[in-house]
Amino acid sequence: MQSLGEEAIGSAQALALNIDDMCFPTYRQQSILMAREVPLVDLICQLLSNERDPLKGRQLPIMYSVRDHGFFTISGNLATQFVQGVGWGMASAIKGDTKIASAWIGDGATAESDFHTALTFAHVYRAPVILNVVNNQWAISTFQAIAGGEATTFAGRGVGCGIASLRVDGNDFVAVYAASAWAAERARRNLGPTMIEWVTYRAGPHSTSDDPSKYRPADDWSHFPLGDPIARLKQHLVKIGQWSEEEHTAVSAELEAEVIAAQKEAEQYGTLAGGQTPSAATMFEDVYKEMPEHLKRQRQELGI
Ligand SMILES: Cc1ncc(C[n+]2csc(CCOP(=O)(O)OP(=O)(O)O)c2C)c(N)n1
Ligand SMILES: [Mg+2]
């Protein structure tokens, strides 16, 4: 799963949050991990399911889980993030804490009942949560209008539930930061939840098993009026004199080298073909606090 075309959303919101605020992301907000400086090597080791995979081969490759960076386990079950994020926010408020939650959902997944349940609970209990709806126009091959995004906006559903709601250009990094900071401040001051519909475009395929040319014109993204978030941020910074073409080229090369070096390092701990996977003994660990007798016996039978 990629975030091509949607990079600004997760990364700018992460900068507007405190490090101990809890994010309940979908697979499209991997940029939160990068903004929170989770080592790329760890992420790549999970992609390779190798001996340093932090989740020991128990999760799908991109379904990260980084508790100490406030990144709740990505779940393949869509919309669960909304109810979990609202519940976490309610718990934080009940404890008298000032930590807030940031919950994420896609346009398609708003059709799940969890979305509506989360809105009701967020409103009724004034949960300190940012309810992010990423409207990237597509739910695999299904256009967002099928989930109701044209008859009314997704943000409009929050208004119907009595929740302060915004519809924001998700490809404008600065706007994402500003709207997120406003919503975070409201949540922290106990003024209640905020819903934000981020309007963006899923520029890449849904996943590596998807071929978008089967259901949309190949050049569709180039016609999207909100453009490319990275190019726009660059243009803005150059215009206000905070950045230059030369700096951009240099940093792009630096980052590319960083990614390649991280990949090389991760591959030393095993590749998909290399067979350096977590030992079979690890499948008995981390399930029970004290390993029950029958599991100890099974482990002995395997001789590991
Ligand atoms: C509850 C549930 N229903 C269906 C699926 C299958 N599924 C996986 S991704 C996806 C499309 C989701 O689209 P959207 O919510 O717009 O998110 P996006 O992929 O665009 O970020 C579907 C239907 C699932 N994983 N979970
Ligand atoms: Mg979508």
Side-chain angles (χ1 to χ4, degrees), residues 50-119:
N50 65 19
E51 62 187 20
R52 290 273 187 107
D53 170 0
L55 301 188
K56 305 176 189 177
R58 293 168 186 172
Q59 253 292 19
L60 288 166
I62 48 80
M63 301 264 175
Y64 300 113
S65 175
V66 194
R67 187 184 192 150
D68 57 8
H69 285 75
F71 191 92
F72 194 80
T73 313
I74 298 175
S75 166
N77 301 329
L78 301 173
T80 50
Q81 295 79 8
F82 252 43
V83 275
Q84 290 164 346
V86 170
W88 194 95
M90 287 166 59
S92 175
I94 290 165
K95 282 190 263 177
D97 209 326
T98 55
K99 295 192 200 88
I100 65 166
S102 154
W104 296 83
I105 200 167
D107 46 280
T110 61
E112 281 285 336
S113 56
D114 276 353
F115 172 73
H116 305 280
T117 308
L119 259 55

Side-chain angles (χ1 to χ4, degrees), residues 163-180:
I163 294 175
S165 303
L166 301 173
R167 190 166 196 248
V168 178
D169 176 348
N171 288 6
D172 178 346
F173 186 93
V174 181
V176 177
Y177 180 82
S180 298

